[in-house]
Every structure is written in structure tokens, then in C-alpha cells.
Amino acid sequence: MEELIKALTEGESRIVALVPEIDGLEGAGVTTVAAAACADPRVVKRFPNGVAWLSVGADRPEMLTDQMVDRALEVNGESDSDTDWLEAVATGRLMDGGEWPGPPGDGLLVLDGVRDPHLPLGALVIADHVSVLVTARSARVLPDDIPVIALPVPRWPLLERLSGELGVRPAQEPDLNDPRSRAAAVREVLSAGLAGLKLPGSVARLTELGVFADEANIPAGLVRLLWKRTAELEPLDCELTLTGLSALGVLSRAPDREVVMIPDVIRGHLRAELAAAGSGEVHRALMEAVVEAPTRRSPRRTPGISFSICPTMRHRPVTRCPTSSATGRGSPAS
């Protein structure tokens, strides 16, 4: 973490990336380390305008470009109502000497869990005006000119968390450099651990999340509608179920957006379990939930997005960081 803090406070580049030392390893703890670094007094002092956080995960870049601009404006200056900053970034005008509203602020934008190379390209534009920290599971999605810090991974935090919470260890420790070996270890822990929980309702609700496609995070509101149809859960019961599943490390709630994030290796297990049990009824319930879901649109914000204040970095209103999650632990998707 010291290397990251030094890069943020003393480095010459206004954009830096943090990735696991093992390329492509999800749940390696980069989100946890990034959040801890952002809360460090030296980083807080370096960025008096605050730290804005955007959870990226599985969502596509076109869904998040406006959110990235909004977050940058939070720690850079107030938006000029006569200027379309989203259009300015999209067309590259800010790369050609264009000015943001107000002077470039001493703020930091964190893009957490980047998977697509197009978003870091946009971050290069943003970095001319605010500092940017990108976390990703692989440096392959990053432009070549972004400085990269590799996080050592002596043990796999995702597997350690699952094993600790479920009380099950894999019979053989996985080869962390082998995706198939990692997936097999997670399946073994989940199969034995969830069966031993004696919470069939929660396990069934978790398995139902395997119905969602991999290419996007899961809207929390849609989860509530699905569970209302499959188990007649009221909103409070849904929140309690999500909180309990988050405590187990099988999913996490984004700290800045109303979405549920599940590591791909866990999603694969849920999808297989749902298929084995028969997914027809859950698919029908999901389609009914989608039809029932309200369609709200905004020119700047994605439906279901919420904003709040990071308690550890409150110099001005900024998007909440993941240092005060429900479980007090890092995101399993980090």
C-alpha cells in the first residue's frame, strides 16, 4: 500500500493503476487496498477537494461515461450548465486545450474494477483535470502509458473469505495462476459450505441470481422484484437477505450505486446450480419482474444510481467510498 500512497501523493503522473500481481485474478484485494490508501491521512491531505468513487465492475463503458464525468466534477468544480461535459469528453475536446469549469481541483477520482479498455481511455482525458486511480484485475485493459502498480497476492483473499465464512477448505489448494484450478476450488467451497448453512431460503435466493447475464452488474431493485415473485419477500426481507449474503462474501453491494456485484467465478457456480435445478420458473419470474420494473430515464444519471458522502474523506460532498461497507470488509469482487 505504501507504493500506491507514494504514487498518489508524490508521483509525477496524475493517473495510476492498481492490479493484482497475478494477471486476471479477481477478488485479489485491489479494492480493499485502494480504499485504505484513499483513507490514509497523506492522501486525504494531498486531495483537499475529496475523493470520488465509481464502482465499475461488469457494466459497459457506455453506461458509465456520464457517471465518470459527474464524479470528476464533484471533486473538480461545479458544472457549467451551458456546457455539455459528457459531449466534450466523448468528442475529445478536453484533450485539445478545452477547460473544465473552474480551475483543475485537487481531487481524486477512483474507477474501481475496470474491465473494458475504453473506460481507461476516457480516464486519460479526465486525468488532465483531476487525478485518477484505476483498479483492474488485469493490466491488459489499460493503455500502455498508465503507470501500473502490481499488488502481491500470497494468498487469494476471495477464497480465504469464503472459506472462513463457510467453514470449508478445498481439499487441494488451487494454483492461482490457473483459472480452472481457481474455479474448481471455489465450487468445492461453495457446494459444501452453502449446503451446511442450514439456511435453505437464503441459499435458494442466492442461486436465483444465477439467472442474470454476466455482462452487467445486477440492479438491486430488480433483485427485490425477482425475490418478491419467487419467494414473496418484502423489501426489508430482501435487504436482510442481501446483507447476510454479503457477510458470507458471495456478493457485495456497490458503495456508490444501487447494484449487486458478484465475482465471475461465483456467478459461474450459481448459473450451473440453477441450471441443474431447472431455471424455467426463475427465468419467467425475472421476465415478469423486468416488465414490472419502472422505466425512469435521466439525461445525466443512470436509473437506480444513488449518491452519498464518504465519511473518511469528507472535504466536500463526494461519492461514498467502500470503507464503511455493511460487513466492514473489502468487496469480494475487488
Side-chain angles (χ1 to χ4, degrees), residues 16-223:
V16 64
L18 179 67
V19 302
E21 194 172 53
I22 300 174
D23 185 69
L25 181 65
E26 63 179 333
V30 292
T31 296
T32 303
V33 171
C38 290
D40 186 275
R42 291 165 290 178
V43 176
V44 172
K45 182 179 179 180
R46 167 63 182 84
F47 299 107
N49 278 14
V51 178
W53 193 281
L54 176 59
S55 299
V56 179
D59 284 339
R60 298 183 300 275
E62 58 267 27
M63 299 172 62
L64 297 171
T65 303
D66 57 344
Q67 302 301 316
M68 181 173 68
V69 173
D70 286 342
R71 301 295 201 277
L73 290 172
E74 290 177 6
V75 293
N76 180 77
E78 295 301 323
S79 176
D80 182 348
S81 60
D82 296 327
T83 302
D84 186 344
W85 296 109
L86 178 59
E87 186 270 340
V89 169
T91 59
R93 283 199 291 115
L94 292 179
M95 284 179 142
D96 301 321
E99 295 295 331
W100 281 59
D106 289 324
L108 175 65
L109 170 65
V110 181
L111 301 177
D112 182 43
V114 170
R115 301 188 186 183
D116 190 287
H118 291 90
L119 203 62
L121 288 174
L124 286 173
V125 181
I126 299 292
D128 284 340
H129 306 274
V130 295
S131 294
V132 179
L133 169 59
V134 177
T135 73
R137 67 177 64 171
S138 173
R140 289 177 293 176
V141 302
L142 304 172
D144 293 337
D145 49 354
I146 292 182
V148 176
I149 296 174
L151 179 69
V153 190
R155 298 184 70 83
W156 189 14
L158 184 150
L159 183 61
E160 294 301 308
R161 173 82 182 277
L162 289 176
S163 295
E165 296 294 344
L166 297 176
V168 177
R169 294 293 309 179
Q172 182 175 354
E173 292 301 314
D175 177 0
L176 297 186
N177 291 288
D178 182 356
R180 290 174 297 181
S181 177
R182 298 196 302 255
V186 168
R187 285 197 302 269
E188 182 181 347
V189 170
L190 289 175
S191 296
L194 293 176
L197 278 181
K198 298 181 180 180
L199 294 171
S202 294
V203 173
R205 304 290 79 73
L206 173 64
T207 303
E208 288 167 356
L209 299 184
V211 74
F212 290 96
D214 290 345
E215 61 265 19
N217 299 316
I218 305 173
L222 198 52
V223 172

Side-chain angles (χ1 to χ4, degrees), residues 212 221-223 225-226 229 282-296:
F212 290 96
L222 198 52
V223 172
L225 290 174
L226 174 64
R229 290 191 169 275
V282 179
H283 275 284
R284 284 191 293 273
L286 176 61
M287 294 303 299
E288 293 170 353
V290 169
V291 172
E292 180 183 339
T295 56
R296 298 177 299 157

Side-chain angles (χ1 to χ4, degrees), residues 205 220-221 223-229 232-245 253:
R205 304 290 79 73
V223 172
R224 298 184 192 103
L225 290 174
L226 174 64
W227 287 351
K228 175 67 174 178
R229 290 191 169 275
E232 299 185 351
L233 293 190
E234 297 300 326
L236 178 58
D237 297 320
C238 291
E239 289 302 311
L240 292 174
T241 300
L242 285 171
T243 298
L245 293 174
R253 305 283 294 276

